[in-house]
Amino acid sequence: MLQVKELCKYFGGIKAVDGCSFNVERGTITALIGPNGAGKTTAFNCISRTAQPTSGEVWLDGERIDQLRPHKITRRGLSRTFQISRNLADMTVLENVICQSQIGGWRDLLKPAMSPEEIDKAMHLLDFLGISRIAHEDGSNLSYGQKKLMDLAALLMSDPKIILLDEPAGGVNPTLLEEIVGHIRKLNEQGMTILIVEHNMNLIMRLSHRIVVMAQGRVIAEGTPAEIRENPAVLDAYLGGT
Ligand code: ATP
């Protein structure tokens, strides 16, 4: 479904992503892991085009998307979350969910014009994620974990077929972590293809069908969780990085 081919992103002399290639098969949960600074977030940024790749190609369902603007990529069915919530100032949770989706994830100072259909859809998603009771609270009053769920609802507003989750469990408490795992599983069971960057190895091993391991901007291993767990190159990369 998603093909990343020889992707490169250089910042001056820093080769953040350096010839990275991998595929994400439809219907899978695929994890992108690697030690700090491996290039995972930069790869995510290039795929969703929040950063411009230096070179390489990204294909979604047979169409090349690395030349498209981010909102066009969203329209083609690929959406992403960010490590840090993009809660919009002075807006309720409901307004945030609708506004973030209307502007393709980019901050806008205007409050959204919310149609009844959008309100229904956003409320349905908040309900699915178990946070409809806080729909009318100010988004900035939410806990860190609730913001993650709010961002997930915003992401789903565009009816994506593939979602990129950047550290969905980062910094959340263990109870909420289990909740988030449950939501990711449920979305996948409903047919969603998911690419996930996450440092929590336990979560990755439990959740993923396939794992792609990056180090120093390149893919150094790919396989099932069982294969990755036993791969000496992966162990080396992690030990070398600490
Ligand atoms: P982490 O797990 O710590 O989030 P990561 O695998 O997501 O790391 P990136 O954040 O993609 O790694 O960073 C890869 C490399 O690129 C690092 O050396 C980082 O310092 C560098 N880098 C990332 N963004 C920039 C930037 N805007 N300017 C310069 N260097 C950058």
Side-chain angles (χ1 to χ4, degrees):
M1 181 177 204
L2 182 74
Q3 292 173 288
V4 177
K5 298 183 186 176
E6 289 296 321
L7 192 66
C8 293
K9 176 67 180 174
Y10 301 158
F11 298 103
I14 299 171
K15 296 181 172 180
V17 175
D18 189 21
C20 170
S21 300
F22 65 91
N23 293 339
V24 178
E25 302 300 328
R26 188 182 310 280
T28 61
I29 300 177
T30 300
L32 188 58
I33 67 167
N36 288 331
K40 307 177 296 291
T41 295
T42 306
F44 252 40
N45 291 345
C46 290
I47 294 167
S48 59
R49 207 41 171 81
T50 43
Q52 185 170 1
T54 305
S55 61
E57 298 178 5
V58 181
W59 293 71
L60 178 64
D61 274 339
E63 187 190 5
R64 194 169 167 185
I65 61 166
D66 52 273
Q67 315 281 355
L68 301 178
R69 308 263 302 271
H71 69 278
K72 295 223 161 133
I73 292 179
T74 305
R75 261 188 235 141
R76 300 272 190 305
L78 183 148
S79 292
R80 66 161 303 177
T81 60
F82 291 81
Q83 272 173 37
I84 297 170
S85 172
R86 290 158 316 140
N87 171 45
L88 303 171
D90 298 325
M91 286 196 195
T92 66
V93 171
L94 181 65
E95 287 168 341
N96 253 286
V97 168
I98 294 173
C99 189
Q100 284 192 29
S101 67
Q102 280 184 345
I103 54 182
W106 290 103
R107 184 174 285 260
D108 194 325
L109 296 174
L110 298 173
K111 286 216 175 192
M114 303 194 294
S115 69
E117 292 75 25
E118 282 172 318
I119 294 174
D120 269 4
K121 188 172 181 183
M123 286 303 294
H124 174 77
L125 289 169
L126 291 171
D127 198 35
F128 171 76
L129 297 171
I131 54 168
S132 54
R133 68 187 179 286
I134 56 166
H136 303 292
E137 282 185 24
D138 190 325
S140 50
N141 291 340
L142 304 189
S143 71
Y144 187 74
Q146 286 172 325
K147 280 185 187 155
K148 293 231 173 221
L149 292 173
M150 179 178 79
D151 289 351
L152 191 53
L155 174 85
L156 296 173
M157 280 293 284
S158 63
D159 295 322
K161 46 191 181 187
I162 177 166
I163 54 176
L164 276 52
L165 305 178
D166 199 352
E167 298 201 22
V172 307
N173 68 48
T175 311
L176 192 67
L177 189 141
E178 286 312 312
E179 233 180 84
I180 289 174
V181 167
H183 294 317
I184 294 173
R185 275 221 177 93
K186 216 183 320 167
L187 283 169
N188 179 245
E189 281 161 15
Q190 292 173 0
M192 186 74 78
T193 304
I194 301 172
L195 177 64
I196 181 168
V197 164
E198 181 53 64
H199 281 289
N200 184 326
M201 250 349 124
N202 178 283
L203 179 146
I204 287 301
M205 290 295 166
R206 283 196 290 149
L207 206 51
S208 317
H209 301 111
R210 288 194 68 75
I211 298 179
V212 176
V213 188
M214 281 184 79
Q216 296 177 338
R218 294 177 155 273
V219 172
I220 58 156
E222 267 183 84
T224 62
E227 287 163 351
I228 292 302
R229 200 181 275 125
E230 298 189 348
N231 186 316
V234 176
L235 198 60
D236 274 358
Y238 273 91
L239 292 178
T242 53

Coordinates of all heavy atoms in Angstrom, one line a residue, residues 31-34 40 167-174 177-178 181 196-208 211 238:
A31 N 5.5 -1.3 12.4 CA 6.3 -0.3 13.3 C 7.6 0.1 12.7 O 8.2 -0.7 12.0 CB 6.5 -1.0 14.7
L32 N 7.9 1.3 12.9 CA 9.2 1.8 12.5 C 10.0 2.1 13.8 O 9.6 3.0 14.5 CB 9.0 3.1 11.7 CG 10.2 3.7 10.9 CD1 10.8 2.8 10.0 CD2 9.7 5.0 10.2
I33 N 11.0 1.4 14.0 CA 11.7 1.5 15.3 C 13.2 1.8 15.0 O 13.7 1.7 13.9 CB 11.6 0.3 16.3 CG1 12.3 -0.9 15.7 CG2 10.1 0.0 16.5 CD1 12.5 -2.0 16.7
G34 N 13.9 2.2 16.1 CA 15.3 2.4 15.9 C 15.8 3.3 17.1 O 15.0 4.0 17.7
K40 N 13.7 8.2 12.2 CA 12.3 7.8 12.1 C 11.3 9.0 11.9 O 10.5 8.9 11.0 CB 11.9 7.0 13.4 CG 12.8 5.9 13.8 CD 12.4 5.2 15.1 CE 12.5 6.1 16.3 NZ 13.9 6.4 16.7
E167 N 4.8 8.2 18.1 CA 4.9 8.0 19.5 C 3.5 8.1 20.2 O 3.4 9.0 21.1 CB 5.9 8.9 20.1 CG 7.3 8.6 19.6 CD 8.4 9.0 20.5 OE1 8.2 9.2 21.7 OE2 9.6 9.2 20.0
P168 N 2.5 7.3 19.8 CA 1.2 7.4 20.4 C 1.2 7.1 21.9 O 0.3 7.6 22.6 CB 0.4 6.4 19.7 CG 1.3 5.4 19.1 CD 2.6 6.2 18.8
A169 N 2.2 6.4 22.4 CA 2.2 6.0 23.8 C 3.2 6.8 24.6 O 3.3 6.7 25.8 CB 2.5 4.5 24.0
G170 N 3.9 7.7 23.9 CA 5.0 8.5 24.6 C 4.4 9.3 25.7 O 3.5 10.1 25.5
G171 N 4.9 9.1 27.0 CA 4.5 10.0 28.1 C 3.1 9.7 28.7 O 2.7 10.5 29.5
V172 N 2.4 8.7 28.2 CA 1.1 8.5 28.8 C 1.2 7.4 30.0 O 2.1 6.6 30.0 CB 0.0 8.0 27.8 CG1 0.0 9.0 26.6 CG2 0.3 6.6 27.3
N173 N 0.2 7.5 30.9 CA 0.3 6.6 32.0 C -0.2 5.1 31.6 O -0.8 5.0 30.5 CB -0.6 7.1 33.2 CG -2.1 7.1 32.8 OD1 -2.6 6.1 32.3 ND2 -2.7 8.2 33.1
P174 N 0.2 4.1 32.4 CA -0.1 2.7 31.9 C -1.5 2.4 31.6 O -1.8 1.6 30.7 CB 0.4 1.9 33.1 CG 1.4 2.8 33.8 CD 0.9 4.2 33.6
L177 N -2.3 4.0 28.3 CA -1.5 3.2 27.3 C -2.3 2.0 26.8 O -2.4 1.8 25.6 CB -0.2 2.8 27.9 CG 0.8 2.2 26.9 CD1 2.2 2.7 27.2 CD2 0.8 0.7 26.8
E178 N -2.9 1.3 27.8 CA -3.7 0.1 27.4 C -4.9 0.5 26.5 O -5.3 -0.2 25.6 CB -4.1 -0.7 28.6 CG -3.0 -1.5 29.2 CD -2.2 -2.3 28.2 OE1 -2.7 -3.0 27.4 OE2 -0.9 -2.2 28.3
V181 N -3.7 1.3 23.1 CA -3.4 0.0 22.4 C -4.7 -0.6 21.9 O -4.8 -1.0 20.7 CB -2.7 -1.0 23.3 CG1 -2.7 -2.4 22.7 CG2 -1.3 -0.5 23.6
I196 N 3.6 3.0 12.7 CA 3.7 3.6 14.0 C 5.2 3.7 14.4 O 6.0 2.8 14.2 CB 2.9 2.6 15.0 CG1 3.0 3.1 16.4 CG2 3.3 1.2 15.0 CD1 1.9 2.3 17.3
V197 N 5.5 4.9 14.9 CA 6.9 5.1 15.5 C 6.7 5.1 17.0 O 5.9 5.9 17.5 CB 7.5 6.4 15.0 CG1 8.7 6.8 15.9 CG2 8.0 6.3 13.6
E198 N 7.5 4.3 17.7 CA 7.2 4.2 19.1 C 8.5 3.6 19.8 O 9.1 2.7 19.2 CB 6.0 3.3 19.4 CG 5.6 3.1 20.8 CD 5.4 4.3 21.6 OE1 4.5 5.1 21.3 OE2 6.2 4.6 22.5
H199 N 8.8 4.2 21.0 CA 10.0 3.7 21.7 C 9.6 2.5 22.7 O 10.5 1.8 23.1 CB 10.6 4.8 22.5 CG 11.5 5.7 21.6 ND1 12.7 5.2 21.1 CD2 11.3 6.9 21.2 CE1 13.2 6.2 20.4 NE2 12.4 7.2 20.4
N200 N 8.3 2.4 23.0 CA 7.9 1.4 23.9 C 8.0 0.0 23.3 O 7.1 -0.4 22.5 CB 6.5 1.7 24.4 CG 6.0 0.8 25.5 OD1 6.4 -0.4 25.5 ND2 5.3 1.3 26.4
M201 N 9.0 -0.7 23.5 CA 9.3 -2.0 22.8 C 8.2 -3.0 23.1 O 7.8 -3.8 22.3 CB 10.6 -2.6 23.2 CG 11.7 -2.5 22.3 SD 11.3 -2.2 20.6 CE 12.4 -0.8 20.4
N202 N 7.8 -3.0 24.4 CA 6.7 -4.0 24.8 C 5.5 -3.8 23.9 O 4.9 -4.7 23.4 CB 6.5 -3.8 26.3 CG 5.4 -4.7 26.8 OD1 4.2 -4.4 26.5 ND2 5.8 -5.7 27.5
L203 N 5.1 -2.5 23.8 CA 3.9 -2.2 23.0 C 4.1 -2.6 21.5 O 3.3 -3.3 20.9 CB 3.7 -0.7 23.1 CG 2.5 -0.1 22.3 CD1 1.8 1.0 23.1 CD2 2.9 0.4 21.0
I204 N 5.3 -2.3 21.0 CA 5.6 -2.6 19.6 C 5.6 -4.1 19.4 O 5.0 -4.6 18.4 CB 7.0 -2.1 19.2 CG1 6.9 -0.5 19.1 CG2 7.6 -2.7 18.0 CD1 5.9 0.0 18.1
M205 N 6.1 -4.9 20.3 CA 6.2 -6.3 20.1 C 4.8 -7.0 20.2 O 4.5 -7.9 19.5 CB 7.1 -7.0 21.2 CG 8.6 -6.6 21.0 SD 9.2 -7.4 19.4 CE 10.7 -6.5 19.2
R206 N 3.9 -6.4 21.0 CA 2.6 -6.9 21.1 C 1.7 -6.5 20.0 O 0.8 -7.3 19.6 CB 1.9 -6.3 22.4 CG 2.4 -7.0 23.7 CD 1.4 -6.6 24.8 NE 1.5 -5.2 25.2 CZ 0.5 -4.5 25.6 NH1 -0.7 -5.1 25.8 NH2 0.6 -3.3 26.0
L207 N 1.9 -5.3 19.4 CA 0.9 -4.8 18.5 C 1.2 -5.0 17.0 O 0.3 -5.1 16.2 CB 0.9 -3.2 18.8 CG -0.3 -2.4 18.5 CD1 -1.6 -3.1 19.1 CD2 -0.1 -1.0 19.0
S208 N 2.5 -5.1 16.7 CA 2.9 -5.0 15.3 C 2.8 -6.3 14.6 O 3.2 -7.4 15.1 CB 4.3 -4.5 15.1 OG 4.6 -3.5 16.0
I211 N 7.9 -5.2 11.6 CA 8.7 -4.2 12.2 C 9.8 -3.8 11.2 O 10.5 -4.7 10.6 CB 9.4 -4.6 13.5 CG1 8.2 -5.0 14.6 CG2 10.3 -3.6 14.1 CD1 8.7 -5.4 15.9
Y238 N 21.0 -1.0 18.8 CA 20.5 -0.4 20.0 C 21.6 -0.2 21.1 O 21.7 0.8 21.7 CB 19.4 -1.2 20.6 CG 18.0 -0.8 20.0 CD1 17.5 -1.4 18.9 CD2 17.3 0.2 20.6 CE1 16.3 -1.0 18.3 CE2 16.1 0.7 20.1 CZ 15.6 0.1 18.9 OH 14.5 0.5 18.4

